[in-house]
Amino acid sequence: MELLRSLAITGTEEVLSISGLILLLAAAWGGDKASRVISIAAVAVLTVCAVLTVPALCQAAMGPGVVAWNGQFSGDAFAAFGKLLIYAGAAVTLIVAPAFFERSNAMRAEFPLLVLFAAMGMGMMVSATDMLALYIGLELNSLAAYVMAAFLRSDERSAEAGLKYFVLGSLASGILLYGVSLTYGFTGSTSFAGIHAALAGPLSMGATFGIVFVLAGLAFKVSAAPFHMWTPDVYEGAPTPVTTFFATAPKVAALALLMRVSLFAFGAQPGAWQQIVIFVALLSIVIGALGAIGQDNIKRLLAYSSINNVGFMLIGLACANQAGAAAMLVYLAIYVAMSVAGFVAVLMLRDADGAPVESIAAMAGLSKTRPMLALALAAVMFSLAGIPPLFGFWGKFVVFQAAVQANLLSLAAIGIAASVIGAFYYIKVVKVMYFDEATDVVTGESDMAQRVLLFVSVVAISPLGWLVTKPLGVLAGNAAAALFHIA
């Protein structure tokens, strides 16, 4: 019965692994000509997994029927919330990728398989309740991500992005493993529950170092400063559909993993990591804002925007309570919608020959040549800046509210001030599109799938998004409560 229950809880991972192996055989037999069919099948698999995940949204953590494989895996509401966002980000990537790669005759049947296996690894990351399961999921996702970053083998920027991501990712994995070994050595357990119990007493110096190294390794994965150095280069060099993937699904998985490790495994000693998170949050906000100001490439600007937004989300984690965790999840869901809208709009920036346009200067006068695309990009920029009435404002509001309630008034005040200052580089993009002389560079046609996705995501971050404020808050609250339901 224990085996059957564990298999049922890990059902989505089983579906992804079995489907991935079947589609791998199909790719071997059908070759690259079957890439579109395999992509469609992969989107269908992700949809099935999302449907299977929905019932778990009301499951409490560590309760009966939730923990699998002797406490290494959890099928709680927190994991379900993260997986839904992960599957959405992966599906969007698979929908927009074929049209992009086919223009350069670079579409390969392996690409959707990499996305599926990465999604399986990310599912393990958000469900992991043991350091060993954490590392297996993390590396399964990372190995697929390294290949995807360098997927355009004939493009020097893509090859460079893959190499940088691989080298720095390996370094971060080493730091994380060292932290895990220290944590195990000074707590006697790799289980999150066992670590939590061991840390309930006096905190040793060795355990403190273990916490620091684990958080440092995970900070790299969420691209938080000062471990952000890979993000601008990888975002710019990787193919834009891959960048879309990096900005959504892996970001969700890494932040969810960081939340579970901090609030559950290290939850008995919030004083040991709270100051670290506050420092990283503030540094990410400042570096993200200042780094974006001088950028002339839209993908690099969005990379620094990602660092900036991670800083705001970490304010919720710094609260070290259920309200802060719920606020962080609300912000994360909104950020995924904003990222999808932003990078799909970037995918639609093409010249007459179909070549990608990434220069912000080349977007001058876009409101006259492509008014609807310019309007969508403006909505994204204002939402990322947190300007009401766009939905991005709500994400920042709930995080700052949680910080105030947790008596982190200085952190909230600095975050609000930095948010105002950071709005400059978002408004700069809008100014170029609406007030500069038209360059008539962006004249290429857009794919229908891209138009539909852009419309849906822009509607989600528009004032209409406020209609889902209550249900989103309820789901985020249930997911956050699962993190604190340890018994």
Side-chain angles (χ1 to χ4, degrees), residues 26-64:
W29 288 328
D32 295 335
K33 294 179 181 178
S35 57
R36 268 195 179 268
V37 175
I38 293 173
S39 295
I40 294 170
V43 171
V45 170
L46 290 168
T47 304
V48 169
C49 290
V51 172
L52 293 174
T53 301
V54 170
L57 285 173
C58 58
Q59 295 288 333
M62 306 306 288

Side-chain angles (χ1 to χ4, degrees), residues 125-218:
M125 287 168 65
V126 299
S127 291
T129 50
D130 188 281
M131 290 295 183
L132 299 179
L134 173 159
Y135 189 72
I136 292 171
L138 188 67
E139 287 306 298
L140 183 56
N141 166 50
S142 297
L143 291 173
Y146 301 150
V147 178
M148 285 192 283
F151 203 74
L152 285 178
R153 290 175 293 180
S154 59
D155 187 340
E156 289 184 4
R157 292 194 312 166
S158 181
E160 180 184 351
L163 182 60
K164 286 182 177 177
Y165 197 15
F166 173 71
V167 172
L168 294 174
S170 300
L171 175 63
S173 295
I175 293 172
L176 177 63
L177 274 179
Y178 185 57
V180 169
S181 67
L182 285 174
T183 303
Y184 171 69
F186 286 92
T187 62
S189 176
T190 58
S191 165
F192 288 3
I195 294 169
H196 184 95
L199 294 178
L203 184 65
S204 67
M205 183 61 70
T208 302
F209 273 101
I211 291 172
V212 170
F213 277 105
V214 168
L215 293 181
L218 293 178

Side-chain angles (χ1 to χ4, degrees), residues 228-251:
H228 66 286
M229 65 290 292
W230 62 274
T231 313
D233 291 337
V234 172
Y235 271 46
E236 180 187 8
T240 306
V242 176
T243 308
T244 307
F245 181 70
F246 289 164
T248 53
K251 189 79 68 180

Side-chain angles (χ1 to χ4, degrees), residues 113-128:
L113 303 175
L114 290 169
V115 173
L116 281 186
F117 288 124
M120 182 174 68
M122 288 183 283
M124 293 181 65
M125 287 168 65
V126 299
S127 291

Side-chain angles (χ1 to χ4, degrees), residues 59-364:
Q59 295 288 333
M62 306 306 288
V66 174
V67 179
W69 307 115
N70 295 320
Q72 296 190 65
F73 193 96
S74 177
D76 58 10
F78 178 78
F81 188 94
K83 287 180 185 179
L84 286 175
L85 295 179
I86 288 167
Y87 299 152
V92 166
T93 302
L94 290 174
I95 291 171
V96 300
F100 177 90
F101 287 119
E102 285 171 0
R103 285 189 175 94
S104 55
N105 196 29
M107 185 61 189
R108 301 290 181 264
E110 293 83 2
F111 184 81
L113 303 175
L114 290 169
V115 173
L116 281 186
F117 288 124
M120 182 174 68
M122 288 183 283
M124 293 181 65
M125 287 168 65
V126 299
S127 291
T129 50
D130 188 281
M131 290 295 183
L132 299 179
L134 173 159
Y135 189 72
I136 292 171
L138 188 67
E139 287 306 298
L140 183 56
N141 166 50
S142 297
L143 291 173
Y146 301 150
V147 178
M148 285 192 283
F151 203 74
L152 285 178
R153 290 175 293 180
S154 59
D155 187 340
E156 289 184 4
R157 292 194 312 166
S158 181
E160 180 184 351
L163 182 60
K164 286 182 177 177
Y165 197 15
F166 173 71
V167 172
L168 294 174
S170 300
L171 175 63
S173 295
I175 293 172
L176 177 63
L177 274 179
Y178 185 57
V180 169
S181 67
L182 285 174
T183 303
Y184 171 69
F186 286 92
T187 62
S189 176
T190 58
S191 165
F192 288 3
I195 294 169
H196 184 95
L199 294 178
L203 184 65
S204 67
M205 183 61 70
T208 302
F209 273 101
I211 291 172
V212 170
F213 277 105
V214 168
L215 293 181
L218 293 178
F220 172 91
K221 300 299 180 182
V222 302
S223 65
F227 308 99
H228 66 286
M229 65 290 292
W230 62 274
T231 313
D233 291 337
V234 172
Y235 271 46
E236 180 187 8
T240 306
V242 176
T243 308
T244 307
F245 181 70
F246 289 164
T248 53
K251 189 79 68 180
V252 171
L255 282 166
L257 179 57
L258 179 61
M259 291 177 70
R260 196 186 287 275
V261 169
S262 301
L263 298 173
F264 181 14
F266 302 148
Q269 292 287 349
W273 54 264
Q274 197 172 19
Q275 295 302 317
I276 298 173
V277 172
I278 290 173
F279 171 75
V280 169
L282 290 176
L283 195 62
S284 299
I285 291 170
V286 172
I287 288 180
L290 296 180
I293 290 175
Q295 300 304 319
D296 57 2
N297 181 290
I298 186 66
K299 289 169 69 176
R300 289 186 71 89
L301 185 143
L302 289 174
Y304 280 104
S305 169
S306 170
I307 297 166
N308 182 254
N309 278 278
V310 164
F312 288 121
M313 283 184 260
L314 290 178
I315 291 176
L317 180 60
C319 297
N321 58 26
Q322 187 173 322
M328 187 175 176
L329 291 174
V330 168
Y331 196 134
L332 186 56
I334 297 171
Y335 177 72
V336 168
M338 294 189 294
S339 294
V340 168
F343 282 103
V344 170
V346 171
L347 276 167
M348 296 172 68
L349 296 172
R350 293 192 166 275
D351 61 20
D353 298 325
V357 175
E358 298 177 3
S359 169
I360 295 175
M363 296 161 56

